């Protein structure tokens, strides 16, 4: 029943192609009926000829010719109809396979970063390819042969009882016995194949992981170790696959044996019935043909179940991902916000990844439009998490994040993120041209706008030194560029987007001192008129921030301008001293001085 439910899901996902699917299914019923009628006609022809040969009656051409004509007609119908069904089944399977693949791709792109953080990209790609290829194969085989086989076995075979109940009963009993044996084999292989699929997933993840870190592999001379690890996974996969192959071989032997046993049984029983005058030569030939046809259909059904056993784990993986409901998604009443002004408010916001330890706890602050807010603190203090809540990588468990007075959970995700530009610490680039990477921020940007953004981000030299200019390819993950060049391109991309809110997550960390100074000067100009959040460990980059929020343990423990926090002599002042931003002689004030200053 699990197989049937899963198979029904495979057919349900046809969606808009369902009308063509029903037409092909009806054509399959017609083919099954034609295949059922042919042995009957052939048996009647044999009886007509046998009676004439024995002298029991004269050959009656008025009977024989219509029988032969009908037999030829049904044969031609089967050939033509099979060709048409195969052609349209091919088209349907290929067409809808691409549609489902695109839907899956769209779905995983919409899943939140929290999901992708815990799921290997190699697994997602492997599931997309194997899952859609499996669907394609099942759709194709269903309309070409499986549906016809099911109709023949479960609907038409019982009709043989009306032709000759003795032969019909023998066919049904033998097919039932073989079906039970096949079900036993399938039950043995189902769990074994699920284990095999985990090894295929491991292979995909390891391959993607290794190729994505090829520089690390080569620089640490780990080629042999990685290859040996891949071979070990391959050996484990084969060790798990071999028992499944043994059971499948047994299923093949059973189906082949069933053909011989059924034919022999009908022949022996037919001779006995013929001697006792209970059947005719034509009926024996008819049921021999039925046996050949039905055992062939049984083999097709066994082949179908073999395929399904192998593909069930892949289908389950595919549907599990397709059924994943993102924790962060648009509400039914979400509105399009348009372009926002950039008033950002955190109102007593708390968030935990595991429900136990708080990553952000009771955070409250307000950022006015045009202000630059810097977030500092040790790694894991909650800075990145707080800003992840701002562009809804996660939603807070309590409190609210607001922009222009609106809870951001009440606006659409796309509308929110169009108003926020992010420059990540790790420059993220596509294996495409410079222009394509820049247009991620503004798809309709002109060449002049692209060049202007590059100029403002100190990245114009990257374009000018390439013969292909903006059309130069940056390589996979931008590997054709240096780390500083990748970061400048990502900064130019954010500038091109021109959002009212900008997030700089260690945006200048990969730049040399001279380039960093140039980019900082550009950013000062760009940040005017927009709300900017800067995560920084190098305090020199936030010297002129409107306000600095010092995080520790998910809380804001200090807040103020650079000079105010240094005078306060607290945690930030200690950080400034360790980075030689203030002299060692600057001592923290006494508690009384703190109190007086606060008063």
């Amino acid at each position: 029943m699990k197989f049937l439910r899963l198979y029904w899901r495979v057919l349900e996902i046809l969606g808009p192609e369902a009308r063509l699917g029903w037409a092909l299914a009806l054509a399959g019923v017609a083919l099954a009926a034609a295949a059922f009628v042919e042995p009957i006609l052939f048996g009647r022809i044999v009886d007509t000829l046998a009676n004439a040969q024995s002298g029991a009656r004269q050959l009656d051409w008025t009977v024989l010719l219509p029988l032969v004509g009908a037999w030829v007609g049904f044969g031609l119908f089967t050939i033509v109809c099979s060709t048409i069904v195969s052609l349209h089944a091919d088209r349907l399977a290929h067409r809808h396979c691409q549609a489902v693949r695109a839907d899956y791709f769209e779905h995983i792109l919409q899943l939140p970063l929290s999901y992708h953080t815990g799921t290997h990209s190699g697994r997602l790609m492997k599931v997309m390819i194997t899952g859609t290829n499996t669907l394609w194969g099942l759709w194709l085989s269903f309309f070409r042969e499986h549906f016809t086989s099911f109709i023949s076995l479960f609907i038409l075979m019982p009709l043989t009882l009306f032709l000759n109940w003795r032969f019909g009963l023998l066919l049904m009993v033998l097919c039932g016995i073989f079906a039970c044996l096949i079900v036993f084999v399938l039950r043995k292989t189902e769990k074994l194949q699920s284990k095999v699929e985990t090894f295929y997933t491991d292979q995909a993840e390891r391959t993607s992981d290794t190729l994505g870190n090829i520089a690390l592999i080569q620089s640490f001379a780990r080629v042999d170790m990685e290859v040996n690890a891949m071979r070990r996974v391959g050996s484990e996969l084969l060790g798990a696959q071999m028992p499944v192959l043994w059971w499948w071989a047994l299923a093949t032997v059973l189906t082949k044996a069933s053909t011989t046993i059924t034919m022999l049984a009908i022949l022996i029983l037919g001779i006995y019935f013929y001697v006792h005058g209970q059947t005719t030569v034509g009926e024996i030939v008819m049921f021999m043909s039925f046996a050949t046809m039905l055992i062939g259909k049984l083999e097709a059904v066994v082949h179908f179940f073999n395929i399904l056993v192998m593909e069930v784990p892949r289908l389950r993986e595919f549907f599990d991902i397709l059924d994943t409901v993102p924790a962060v998604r648009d509400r039914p009443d979400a509105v399009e916000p348009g372009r926002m002004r950039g008033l950002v408010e955190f109102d007593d916001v708390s968030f935990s990844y595991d429900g136990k330890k708080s990553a952000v706890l009771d955070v409250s602050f307000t950022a006015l439009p045009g202000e630059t807010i810097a977030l500092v603190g040790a790694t894991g203090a909650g800075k990145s998490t707080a800003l992840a809540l701002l562009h809804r990588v996660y939603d807070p468990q309590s409190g609210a994040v607001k922009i222009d007075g609106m809870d951001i959970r009440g606006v659409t995700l796309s509308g929110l993120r169009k108003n926020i530009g992010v420059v990540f610490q790790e420059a993220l680039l596509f294996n495409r041209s410079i222009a394509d990477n820049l247009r991620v921020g503004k798809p309709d940007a002109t060449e002049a706008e692209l060049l202007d953004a590059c100029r403002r981000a100190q990245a114009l030299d990257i374009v000018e030194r390439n013969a292909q200019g903006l059309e130069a390819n940056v390589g996979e993950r931008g590997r054709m560029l240096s780390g500083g060049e990748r970061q400048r391109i990502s900064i130019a991309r954010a500038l091109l987007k021109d959002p009212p809110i900008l997030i700089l997550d260690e945006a200048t960390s990969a730049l040399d001192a001279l380039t960093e100074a140039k980019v900082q000067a550009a950013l000062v100009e760009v940040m005017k008129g927009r709300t900017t959040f800067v995560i920084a460990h190098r305090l020199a980059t936030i010297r002129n921030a409107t306000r600095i929020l010092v995080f520790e343990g998910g809380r804001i423990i200090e807040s103020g301008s650079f000079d105010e926090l240094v005078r306060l002599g607290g945690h930030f002042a200690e950080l400034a001293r360790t980075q030689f931003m203030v002299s060692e002689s600057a001592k923290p004030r006494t508690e009384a001085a703190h109190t007086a200053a606060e008063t």
Side-chain angles (χ1 to χ4, degrees):
M1 291 305 296
K2 289 187 294 184
F3 282 160
L4 294 179
R5 282 196 296 270
L6 190 63
Y7 202 47
W8 183 251
R9 177 81 186 272
V10 170
L11 298 177
E12 274 187 327
I13 205 172
L14 281 171
E17 300 280 2
R19 181 176 296 179
L20 176 57
W22 279 111
L24 292 174
L26 290 174
V29 173
L31 282 171
F36 184 79
V37 170
E38 283 188 64
I40 299 175
L41 293 172
F42 188 55
R44 297 287 185 264
I45 292 170
V46 170
D47 273 341
T48 302
L49 294 173
N51 289 331
Q53 188 179 26
S54 65
R57 65 182 68 171
Q58 191 175 8
L59 183 61
D60 190 347
W61 290 98
T62 60
V63 174
L64 182 61
L65 289 178
L67 287 173
V68 173
W71 185 48
V72 172
F74 274 104
L76 291 175
F77 170 80
T78 300
I79 294 171
V80 173
C81 190
S82 296
T83 303
I84 294 173
V85 167
S86 295
L87 177 62
H88 284 284
D90 275 349
R91 291 179 176 178
L92 180 150
H94 280 87
R95 185 169 59 241
H96 204 60
C97 175
Q98 296 304 321
V100 171
R101 186 171 292 176
D103 290 342
Y104 173 93
F105 187 62
E106 179 183 14
H107 176 72
I108 60 175
L109 289 181
Q110 290 175 340
L111 291 174
L113 286 177
S114 55
Y115 178 86
H116 290 278
T117 300
T119 307
H120 200 287
S121 59
R123 175 176 179 261
L124 293 175
M125 184 172 66
K126 175 255 182 187
V127 170
M128 179 178 74
I129 294 172
T130 59
T132 52
N133 284 345
T134 298
L135 289 171
W136 169 81
L138 290 176
W139 289 328
L140 192 62
S141 60
F142 177 82
F143 292 116
R144 274 188 172 183
E145 55 182 333
H146 291 159
F147 187 67
T148 304
S149 299
F150 286 129
I151 293 294
S152 298
L153 282 176
F154 300 113
I155 297 178
L156 299 182
M157 185 168 64
L159 295 179
T160 59
L161 293 171
F162 296 98
L163 298 174
N164 187 311
W165 68 269
R166 297 176 181 86
F167 285 128
L169 186 61
L170 177 63
L171 272 178
M172 293 184 67
V173 169
L174 289 175
C175 286
I177 291 172
F178 295 134
C180 290
L181 291 173
I182 296 304
V183 168
F184 172 75
V185 172
L186 293 175
R187 286 186 178 276
K188 287 290 186 181
T189 57
E190 182 183 2
K191 290 183 179 180
L192 293 174
Q193 186 60 36
S194 295
K195 184 179 179 182
V196 171
E197 197 58 32
T198 62
F199 288 113
Y200 279 114
T201 300
D202 289 344
Q203 273 191 335
E205 291 184 357
R206 179 171 287 275
T207 302
S208 176
D209 211 28
T210 303
L211 294 177
N213 293 283
I214 190 67
L216 177 67
I217 300 298
Q218 293 182 351
S219 63
F220 279 80
R222 282 188 57 90
V223 173
D224 290 340
M225 296 179 68
E226 292 297 324
V227 171
N228 289 335
M230 181 63 76
R231 286 175 176 157
R232 186 170 59 253
V233 173
S235 297
E236 292 172 346
L237 189 155
L238 287 175
Q241 184 74 78
M242 288 306 174
V244 180
L245 297 178
W246 188 91
W247 283 106
W248 287 351
L250 178 60
T252 302
V253 170
L254 287 173
T255 54
K256 295 298 182 184
S258 67
T259 304
T260 303
I261 293 172
T262 303
M263 298 287 285
L264 186 60
I266 289 175
L267 181 60
I268 293 173
L269 193 62
I271 293 172
Y272 175 81
F273 289 153
Y274 181 78
V275 169
H276 290 82
Q278 295 175 327
T279 189
T280 64
V281 174
E283 283 190 335
I284 296 174
V285 172
M286 180 196 309
F287 275 88
M288 293 282 279
S289 299
F290 273 134
T292 303
M293 180 189 73
L294 293 174
I295 294 301
K297 300 300 183 184
L298 182 60
E299 286 182 353
V301 171
V302 169
H303 178 65
F304 155 71
F305 279 112
N306 279 343
I307 293 175
L308 197 55
V309 166
M310 184 176 68
E311 305 294 3
V312 157
R314 297 175 183 177
L315 288 173
R316 283 178 180 155
E317 274 191 315
F318 182 82
F319 287 127
D320 283 346
I321 293 175
L322 204 60
D323 292 340
T324 299
V325 178
V328 177
R329 57 187 185 276
D330 287 339
R331 290 178 175 177
D333 58 348
V335 298
E336 283 291 340
R339 184 174 177 86
M340 297 174 160
R341 292 187 302 114
L343 171 64
V344 177
E345 300 171 85
F346 275 63
D347 186 7
D348 202 23
V349 171
S350 295
F351 173 78
S352 172
Y353 290 101
D354 56 10
K356 299 176 183 178
K357 181 181 178 182
S358 294
V360 171
L361 183 62
D362 300 330
V363 169
S364 296
F365 67 87
T366 299
L368 300 177
E371 287 190 331
T372 299
I373 308 297
L375 288 74
V376 301
T379 301
K383 312 180 298 297
S384 295
T385 302
L387 293 187
L389 295 172
L390 176 59
H391 57 104
R392 289 197 72 192
V393 175
Y394 313 98
D395 280 334
Q397 275 98 30
S398 64
V401 180
K402 300 177 182 179
I403 299 180
D404 295 350
M406 296 183 292
D407 190 323
I408 60 175
R409 289 170 291 197
V411 302
T412 62
L413 281 168
S414 60
L416 170 69
R417 291 168 182 171
K418 285 177 182 176
N419 282 278
I420 300 175
V422 184
V423 179
F424 298 98
Q425 183 174 3
E426 177 188 2
L428 306 174
L429 299 178
F430 293 112
N431 183 21
R432 302 171 192 171
S433 68
I434 294 174
D436 287 339
N437 277 283
L438 292 175
R439 286 196 173 100
V440 170
K442 187 179 180 182
D444 58 347
T446 64
E447 183 175 337
E449 290 174 319
L450 298 180
L451 293 173
D452 182 60
C454 289
R455 179 185 58 77
R456 295 162 69 190
Q458 305 295 319
L460 195 56
D461 60 307
I462 303 172
V463 177
E464 292 175 341
R465 73 159 183 264
N466 273 292
Q468 294 174 295
L470 288 168
E471 297 307 313
N473 193 285
V474 302
E476 184 180 3
R477 299 183 183 179
R479 286 175 179 166
M480 300 292 288
L481 306 177
S482 69
E485 289 170 342
R486 289 197 295 268
Q487 196 66 295
R488 282 184 278 164
I489 291 295
S490 64
I491 291 171
R493 179 173 60 196
L495 298 177
L496 192 65
K497 185 178 180 180
D498 190 29
I501 300 171
L502 187 64
I503 296 175
L504 306 176
D505 187 353
E506 285 287 325
T508 61
S509 62
L511 306 181
D512 59 80
L514 179 60
T515 305
E516 180 183 3
K518 293 179 180 179
V519 173
Q520 282 294 115
L523 289 177
V524 167
E525 179 64 27
V526 172
M527 289 187 292
K528 289 180 180 178
R530 77 181 81 244
T531 310
T532 306
F533 295 90
V534 183
I535 297 176
H537 289 101
R538 293 209 302 257
L539 302 186
T541 62
I542 57 169
R543 185 67 178 79
N544 298 317
T546 309
R547 190 160 12 116
I548 299 171
L549 307 177
V550 183
F551 279 75
E552 184 176 343
R555 294 177 178 272
I556 297 176
I557 58 172
E558 295 175 359
S559 175
S561 67
F562 190 97
D563 292 335
E564 289 171 346
L565 293 177
V566 169
R567 286 197 300 271
L568 186 62
H571 188 80
F572 182 83
E574 182 62 28
L575 288 175
R577 278 193 294 274
T578 60
Q579 296 186 25
F580 307 105
M581 294 293 296
V582 295
S583 65
E584 201 54 48
S585 59
K587 301 293 182 181
R589 294 177 298 170
T590 63
E591 186 66 32
H594 288 181
T595 305
E598 291 170 0
T599 304

